[in-house]
Amino acid sequence: MLFRIQEFFRQYIFSICVLLVVYGLSTNQQVAKLCAGIAILLFGMIFLSNGFKSFSGGFLERVLLKFTKTPLRSIAFGTIITTIMQSSSLVSVLCISFVSVSLISLAQGIGVMFGANLGNSAGSWLIAGASSINISAFALPLIVGGLLFNFHTKALYKGIGQVLSGLGFFFLGVFYIKEGFEGFSSVLDLSQYDFGVVGFVLVGALVTAIIQSSHATLAVIIAAYLAGQINYESALACVLGTSAGGVVTALVASLSTNIQGRKLAIANCIYNFIIVILVMIAFPYFVWINDFVAKLMHIATESSLRLALFHTIFNIFGVILLTAAIPFIAKFLDKAFANPAKDKSMPLFINDSLLAYTDTAINALNKEVWHLYENAFEIIAHTIGFHRHDIRTSKDLKSLLHKKDLLEQDFSVRDLYNSEIKSLFNAIIDFSAKLQACTTQPKDIQRIMSLQIASRKIAEATKNIELLQANIKKYTQSNNSALKEEYNNMRLALAYLLSLIEQVSPFASKSKEKPKQISKNKKIEKEQNSAKITLKDIKKMLKAERKFFKQQSRYAITMAETLIAQKKISSANSTSLLNDSSFVSMVAKGLISAINHIYGISGNKSIRCT
């Protein structure tokens, strides 16, 4: 009975709370206006974010990659893009996603976050300006115009419609917040309280943390200041507090990412907390600087624009103070938060927060498929008795056939498959299915499907190697030299294939020696050992490997018949030999097909082996 009561409250408590809030707001018109204004402003921010996402078409991601090469360029990018999009939250989430999938470095991400904080101050100017005039006259036409654009079938026009509607709701929200505060003095008048600088900073931080929108909090602060419900210096302290409370959005976004994304969220906390503490310590001096600059700009004493100016000044101070420290902050975070031991069964790059950014999500999916291959590479290499390091660095794999330490170990390929391949493969398929539902571009859908097929082929190849494990262990340690030689040839063929794939794997070490390839074609061997390998070269190399394994399958029957005729093996041995030769071919074809699908895109762009 008690369990049923608990379940009832879990299901309906949220709905009950919402109804109570609605009832409470209906009893006080001014409170209702204030809360409605905040809700409408937040609704406008959602529309703005969705609008920019819908017609960016990967543009934002490409620009972010291109213009974040140095700390100053990263800061400039973060400032400009946040000023344009009026959403530091969107830029922060995108930046955290990029860092988490290693598309940009932690230091680059920190620069963008610094810039996003500075660009966020542009919103305070917009809110302050909107609060000084009857902006509601512009709000409704923008909302109606945006709605009309949304009826268009093209994504570009829908995006424009969402941006226009977002701006309309933004301005309408500011208007209602201002209207709510004009008759709010009977309910709450903060001007009669003296919490001190620290107290009002905490008020601004707390409200921002709850609402998770510094823009909405700024709108409330500015409206309260214009209504005379908070004095000038207290309002400035609240504005400072929005920077401290604004870190919550980035922290929440980082929870669904890996350790790199969390480091960036912590760096954002470091920036904001250092600035807030320093400005609080020297608060009277910053107030004086703010008033001095305001006079130079001919901003009236009672104007809300002075609050926006203060928001800009302390963010500029923060950027100037900490820009040179970006590399040191990145190094400190790398040392303080060392990467945990990787759980091979868990995704390293994909998470649902990336689904809104198709280009980035596909890039992350590509890396996750390579992560799946890395797991498969280890299992296959150990099953055939080779260490991964040997395959990656040795020029003469044949000389390593005598090493039997791995073959003598007792491990289950099936258990490794279930723990390191199956769960990761399922996560890849689940993510790619969600990603397909989020995109309408045929080339993106085709790319996602290719990566799905690649991951399936890798999983199948790993499962097939289990069929070889027992006989490889048995016959490579057999007294029958003919059987031993044939099974060693199978091991060697797969080892050579793995070493070839290593040349185009992004997980391969840049400094490794190029392993000797199975191909006897000097031209192909030269291409394999070059620093740059084109897509055409990769296909040529894999085609040669496919041809080799096809020939080996045909040769297996003739070889088995010859060995039986020479009485070197029995009929039972020949059956095992032929079956295992077929399994080797299946593993090889699966891996070759997987790599072909990973690189199975049109164009002749060069890729650098890393």
Side-chain angles (χ1 to χ4, degrees):
M1 182 67 181
L2 180 61
F3 176 76
R4 289 183 178 179
I5 294 173
Q6 289 175 338
E7 283 296 308
F8 173 82
F9 275 103
R10 286 196 190 99
Q11 291 179 18
Y12 299 106
I13 191 69
F14 182 75
S15 300
I16 292 169
C17 288
V18 170
L19 291 173
L20 288 173
V21 169
V22 171
Y23 173 77
L25 293 178
S26 66
T27 61
N28 190 302
Q29 188 177 4
Q30 299 306 130
V31 176
K33 280 186 178 181
L34 174 61
C35 292
I38 294 172
I40 292 169
L41 189 145
L42 292 174
F43 192 63
M45 296 300 296
I46 294 171
F47 262 67
L48 277 172
S49 296
N50 291 338
F52 281 113
K53 287 178 189 176
S54 65
F55 64 81
S56 64
F59 172 76
L60 184 59
E61 297 96 307
R62 291 192 293 272
V63 172
L64 179 56
L65 285 173
K66 186 175 181 180
F67 293 103
T68 56
K69 302 299 183 185
T70 66
L72 287 177
R73 290 175 70 178
S74 298
I75 291 170
F77 172 83
T79 303
I80 294 169
I81 202 66
T82 306
T83 300
I84 293 171
M85 301 179 72
Q86 281 302 301
S87 177
S88 59
S89 298
L90 176 60
V91 176
S92 298
V93 171
L94 179 62
C95 191
I96 287 171
S97 299
F98 264 57
V99 171
S100 68
V101 297
S102 303
L103 290 178
I104 60 175
S105 68
L106 178 60
Q108 289 173 297
I110 292 172
V112 175
M113 294 292 267
F114 282 12
N117 282 284
L118 179 57
N120 197 39
S121 61
S124 59
W125 288 92
L126 182 62
I127 294 167
S131 300
S132 303
I133 59 175
N134 185 15
I135 200 68
S136 62
F138 299 98
L140 295 179
L142 286 171
I143 293 171
V144 173
L147 179 63
L148 293 175
F149 269 110
N150 267 284
F151 284 117
H152 205 284
T153 55
K154 288 188 177 179
L156 174 64
Y157 291 100
K158 285 182 179 291
I160 293 172
Q162 287 187 312
V163 169
L164 290 177
S165 296
L167 286 171
F169 284 119
F170 183 92
F171 292 141
L172 191 62
V174 172
F175 169 77
Y176 272 106
I177 291 172
K178 181 184 174 184
E179 285 280 301
F181 267 107
E182 285 179 354
F184 201 38
S185 57
S186 60
V187 180
L188 179 64
D189 186 2
L190 292 176
S191 63
Q192 63 182 326
Y193 299 101
D194 186 15
F195 296 142
V197 174
V198 176
F200 280 105
V201 166
L202 290 175
V203 169
L206 182 62
V207 174
T208 306
I210 294 171
I211 300 175
Q212 288 197 36
S213 172
S214 58
H215 279 52
T217 309
L218 285 166
V220 171
I221 295 167
I222 290 170
Y225 174 68
L226 291 174
Q229 294 175 16
I230 187 170
N231 63 44
Y232 175 60
E233 292 193 4
S234 298
L236 294 183
C238 284
V239 170
L240 180 62
T242 62
S243 290
V247 302
V248 172
T249 302
L251 286 172
V252 171
S254 70
L255 294 178
S256 62
T257 64
N258 56 23
I259 188 66
Q260 288 299 107
R262 290 167 195 163
K263 287 178 187 176
L264 183 57
I266 293 170
N268 188 44
C269 291
I270 291 172
Y271 169 86
N272 283 285
F273 290 158
I274 287 176
I275 301 311
V276 169
I277 291 170
L278 291 177
V279 174
M280 279 197 301
I281 293 171
F283 191 73
Y285 299 99
F286 275 90
V287 174
W288 181 84
I289 292 170
N290 191 66
D291 291 340
F292 177 75
V293 176
K295 287 179 182 178
L296 292 179
M297 296 176 65
H298 302 290
I299 298 175
T301 305
E302 300 300 324
S303 174
S304 60
L305 293 176
R306 290 200 174 207
L307 305 188
L309 177 63
F310 182 73
H311 193 201
T312 305
I313 286 174
F314 74 71
N315 272 300
I316 291 175
F317 165 74
V319 169
I320 292 173
L321 179 69
L322 294 176
T323 294
I326 287 176
F328 301 101
I329 294 173
K331 288 180 181 178
F332 165 74
L333 291 172
D334 284 333
K335 289 182 180 179
F337 301 94
N339 291 334
K342 294 178 180 178
D343 184 349
K344 295 177 181 178
S345 66
M346 298 298 292
L348 295 179
F349 305 102
I350 55 175
N351 61 75
D352 288 353
S353 66
L354 298 173
L355 293 172
Y357 314 102
T358 304
D359 286 7
T360 307
I362 291 175
N363 200 316
L365 180 61
N366 182 74
K367 288 192 172 190
E368 204 64 69
V369 174
W370 275 115
H371 173 210
L372 180 69
Y373 169 77
E374 272 293 288
N375 290 357
F377 170 56
E378 179 182 17
I379 295 171
I380 294 170
H382 287 184
T383 303
I384 61 176
F386 285 89
H387 290 280
R388 288 178 296 171
H389 175 74
D390 291 336
I391 289 177
R392 284 172 169 153
T393 60
S394 178
K395 288 186 176 181
D396 187 10
L397 294 174
K398 191 172 183 179
S399 65
L400 301 174
L401 288 172
H402 68 280
K403 295 175 70 173
K404 298 289 197 311
D405 57 316
L406 287 173
L407 293 175
E408 292 171 355
Q409 288 183 11
D410 187 20
F411 64 92
S412 169
V413 172
R414 177 172 295 183
D415 290 344
L416 290 174
Y417 172 83
N418 288 331
S419 63
E420 298 180 12
I421 300 295
K422 189 175 181 179
S423 57
L424 182 56
F425 171 64
N426 290 338
I428 289 172
I429 295 301
D430 180 61
F431 178 81
S432 59
K434 292 177 182 176
L435 185 56
Q436 275 186 309
C438 294
T439 182
T440 57
Q441 296 295 324
K443 65 179 182 64
D444 291 335
I445 294 173
Q446 183 62 43
R447 180 74 181 124
I448 295 166
M449 288 177 63
S450 292
L451 292 172
Q452 284 178 325
I453 294 170
S455 60
R456 178 167 58 82
K457 293 293 183 182
I458 292 169
E460 288 173 355
T462 313
K463 203 164 187 179
N464 285 331
I465 201 69
E466 179 192 357
L467 303 172
L468 287 162
Q469 185 182 21
N471 281 351
I472 284 179
K473 291 182 70 172
K474 178 180 178 181
Y475 291 120
T476 51
Q477 300 176 67
S478 170
N479 293 325
N480 188 320
S481 58
L483 275 175
K484 187 174 183 178
E485 181 181 357
E486 293 305 325
Y487 275 89
N488 277 336
N489 286 338
M490 293 182 198
R491 292 171 58 205
L492 193 60
L494 285 177
Y496 277 136
L497 175 61
L498 293 175
S499 70
L500 183 148
I501 294 174
E502 276 301 288
Q503 292 191 60
V504 296
S505 167
F507 282 84
S509 171
K510 290 181 180 180
S511 60
K512 75 176 188 296
E513 293 182 84
K514 299 297 180 184
K516 184 178 179 181
Q517 303 303 321
I518 195 169
S519 172
K520 302 302 180 183
N521 187 308
K522 296 297 181 182
K523 183 178 179 182
I524 294 178
E525 187 173 341
K526 183 178 178 181
E527 290 172 345
Q528 292 170 352
N529 293 323
S530 62
K532 270 191 174 183
I533 301 176
T534 65
L535 293 173
K536 184 178 180 180
D537 297 330
I538 293 171
K539 290 176 182 178
K540 186 186 296 184
M541 291 154 58
L542 294 176
K543 185 177 180 181
E545 290 300 304
R546 187 185 290 275
K547 183 178 180 181
F548 169 81
F549 280 98
K550 190 174 182 180
Q551 290 172 344
Q552 289 297 99
S553 295
R554 293 174 180 172
Y555 165 74
I557 297 174
T558 304
M559 173 268 302
E561 290 174 348
T562 301
L563 292 176
I564 291 173
Q566 295 174 352
K567 297 184 178 181
K568 291 183 177 181
I569 63 172
S570 66
S571 298
N573 291 150
S574 70
T575 302
S576 298
L577 199 57
L578 289 173
N579 286 338
D580 291 338
S581 178
S582 176
F583 296 146
V584 167
S585 180
M586 289 165 63
V587 171
K589 287 178 181 178
L591 294 177
I592 292 168
S593 178
I595 306 305
N596 267 325
H597 277 95
I598 290 174
Y599 288 111
I601 53 177
S602 59
N604 294 313
K605 293 182 180 179
S606 295
I607 60 168
R608 189 171 292 278
C609 294
T610 56

